[in-house]
Amino acid sequence: MRMLRWMCGHTRSDKIRNEVIREKVGVAPVVDKLREARLRWFGHMKRRCANAPVRRCEGLVVEGTQRGRGRPRKYWGEVIRQDLAQLHIIEDMTLDRKEWRSRIKYFLDVIVSVVDYALFFLLDVMFYILFPLLLLGLDVLEPRVLRKQPLYLHEVVVQLLWVNLVTDGLPATAIGFNKQDSDVMKSKPRKVNEAVVSGWLFFRYLVIGAYVGLATVAGFIWWFVYYDNGPKLPYTELMHFDSCSTRETNYACSIFSDRHPSTVSMTVLVVVEMFNALNNLSENQSLLVIPPWSNLWLVASIIFTMILHILILYVQPLSALFSVTPLSWAEWTVVLYLSFPVILIDEILKFFSRNSGIRFSFRFRRADLLPKREIRDK
């Protein structure tokens, strides 16, 4: 238990029960693991034929001995009967080796993992599905209030729901099948008081997140200001689009209801997240060392996600549902130009990570996210 407490960053002075520490780390109690080993050997013995030496020893009776004073000793057979009663199993189950192993195995670590993933899944569903659907219902109930905006609220909600589903769905799941880094055994062990998200890693997240946001906004502005088939508005006019109906302009205010700019922005956000998923093949290794085909599940999920996104753009019932419109080749070219640099930026940051001598120093610590600093007894 001392090692487990050290792993969690706690000491005995924190007054945390051993059961809590074991459940947090996902380690089974020693008593349960010993019971599992006894029952596993018991099943192995019961599946042997009756003439096997181990079965003949089972029926031996020692005669000519007297029981000593005090409580009688607890024999192995009695302990096995108690274990069977505790797990609500019988000896006949030993004939099926697979079922017997599954019934006696201790599943604390599996149960804890399943519960954690279930909670994260429920929170994800509540945030990304139920909340947007609630806003969509409000849009249906109060159309006179909510539809005063140029872009209906339900259009934004549905597009937000789609982006979150495609970016946090299959690609995020496929990242779990990444192979380990080639230099994983060369890296130093993590210190007990070191954050899971270090200062440098947090800075990398900020840089990548800032670029994703800038690229999404840049796609929207590009369509209005620089696109040949667009209105080519001055940037100041675009910033004051909300007052278009109250002043004289040399363009129609209906251009702000065009679905092309929002479709370009949404597509940039989806594509840049697909490229960023490739960055997550390794935390520090370059894509030249760990190529995309090292995780075929991730490649397949990205291809499938892009097919789904293309379907909602070019299939008429879906495009009307998601309030999007088909994009031209020139618009797709700009989408790729704005999305691909996220790989170059992360490659530069990975280069800094591999060369610790030029890595910047940042401090990021929160008491509820990081383990406490261990106070060792002297």
Side-chain angles (χ1 to χ4, degrees):
M1 287 304 302
R2 182 178 180 182
M3 179 59 66
L4 298 182
R5 292 180 182 273
W6 177 81
M7 291 170 58
C8 297
H10 297 294
T11 60
R12 294 181 63 88
S13 60
D14 296 330
K15 298 181 179 180
I16 300 178
R17 298 181 63 87
N18 295 344
E19 294 80 4
V20 178
I21 297 295
R22 281 195 294 263
E23 183 178 357
K24 183 178 180 180
V25 182
V27 175
V30 178
V31 176
D32 295 327
K33 297 302 291 185
L34 290 176
R35 182 185 64 227
E36 179 186 342
R38 284 195 302 266
L39 293 177
R40 185 170 63 248
W41 174 252
F42 176 73
H44 172 70
M45 183 191 68
K46 284 296 184 180
R47 286 189 295 271
R48 299 295 299 273
C49 61
N51 296 328
V54 67
R55 295 298 301 275
R56 293 200 302 267
C57 294
E58 183 185 6
L60 291 178
V61 177
V62 181
E63 297 180 354
T65 59
Q66 296 181 357
R67 183 175 66 86
R69 300 176 60 181
R71 187 181 63 181
R73 295 182 179 180
K74 183 181 293 184
Y75 295 97
W76 183 72
E78 182 182 352
V79 176
I80 290 296
R81 286 192 294 270
Q82 293 178 358
D83 294 339
L84 296 178
Q86 186 176 1
L87 296 181
H88 305 288
I89 54 180
I90 58 178
E91 294 185 10
D92 295 340
M93 295 181 179
T94 58
L95 300 178
D96 189 346
R97 181 176 181 272
K98 186 176 181 180
E99 181 184 0
W100 180 255
R101 287 291 184 90
S102 63
R103 295 295 295 269
I104 67 175
K105 186 173 178 59
Y106 189 77
F107 286 102
L108 174 64
D109 49 350
V110 179
I111 293 174
V112 171
S113 300
V114 170
V115 171
D116 290 342
Y117 282 117
L119 291 176
F120 281 117
F121 177 76
L122 291 177
L123 292 176
D124 197 40
V125 169
M126 292 176 61
F127 183 78
Y128 293 128
I129 297 180
L130 298 182
F131 181 68
L133 289 180
L134 177 62
L135 294 180
L136 182 61
L138 292 175
D139 187 30
V140 175
L141 294 176
E142 298 291 340
R144 293 177 297 177
V145 177
L146 298 178
R147 293 185 179 178
K148 291 181 180 180
Q149 302 296 329
L151 184 63
Y152 295 166
L153 181 59
H154 76 274
E155 298 178 2
V156 179
V157 170
V158 172
Q159 291 178 4
L160 177 64
L161 173 63
W162 173 253
V163 170
N164 283 287
L165 286 178
V166 297
T167 56
D168 296 335
L170 294 178
T173 305
I175 290 176
F177 296 92
N178 287 344
K179 295 183 179 180
Q180 66 275 11
D181 295 347
S182 58
D183 60 344
V184 63
M185 298 303 296
K186 298 179 182 179
S187 58
K188 297 181 180 180
R190 187 185 298 271
K191 297 180 179 179
V192 65
N193 60 344
E194 183 179 353
V196 176
V197 180
S198 61
W200 170 248
L201 187 59
F202 181 70
F203 175 76
R204 286 174 56 180
Y205 290 160
L206 288 179
V207 173
I208 297 298
Y211 178 78
V212 171
L214 290 176
T216 304
V217 176
F220 188 87
I221 296 177
W222 168 83
W223 193 90
F224 278 108
V225 179
Y226 300 105
Y227 185 39
D228 293 336
N229 296 331
K232 289 190 175 182
L233 297 177
Y235 182 75
T236 55
E237 291 291 333
L238 181 61
M239 292 296 98
H240 298 86
F241 74 96
D242 53 343
S243 61
C244 177
S245 59
T246 61
R247 54 190 175 86
E248 295 183 0
T249 58
N250 54 1
Y251 54 86
C253 296
S254 59
I255 61 173
F256 296 113
S257 300
D258 198 309
R259 293 179 176 177
H260 279 87
S262 61
T263 304
V264 170
S265 295
M266 185 179 72
T267 305
V268 168
L269 186 56
V270 171
V271 175
V272 75
E273 288 295 341
M274 297 301 104
F275 281 123
N276 195 31
L278 296 177
N279 290 330
N280 289 279
L281 284 170
S282 174
E283 181 179 350
N284 296 321
Q285 292 294 325
S286 172
L287 286 175
L288 300 177
V289 178
I290 302 180
W293 53 85
S294 62
N295 188 350
L296 295 180
W297 290 104
L298 180 59
V299 176
S301 63
I302 291 176
I303 294 175
F304 184 72
T305 299
M306 290 307 303
I307 291 176
L308 292 179
H309 187 71
I310 292 174
L311 286 178
I312 71 167
L313 293 183
Y314 294 95
V315 177
Q316 182 56 38
L318 296 177
S319 61
L321 176 63
F322 288 91
S323 302
V324 293
T325 186
L327 299 180
S328 63
W329 176 248
E331 292 168 330
W332 273 107
T333 303
V334 172
V335 168
L336 294 177
Y337 282 158
L338 292 175
S339 303
F340 184 77
V342 71
I343 291 183
L344 302 179
I345 295 175
D346 201 59
E347 286 294 317
I348 296 174
L349 296 175
K350 287 180 179 179
F351 174 78
F352 288 137
S353 298
R354 292 191 300 268
N355 297 271
S356 57
I358 54 178
R359 187 184 302 181
F360 300 99
S361 177
F362 293 91
R363 294 185 178 272
F364 176 71
R365 181 176 178 85
R366 285 184 56 184
D368 55 341
L369 293 180
L370 308 180
K372 298 179 180 179
R373 185 182 299 273
E374 182 186 18
I375 303 176
R376 299 183 178 180
D377 296 332
K378 296 182 178 179

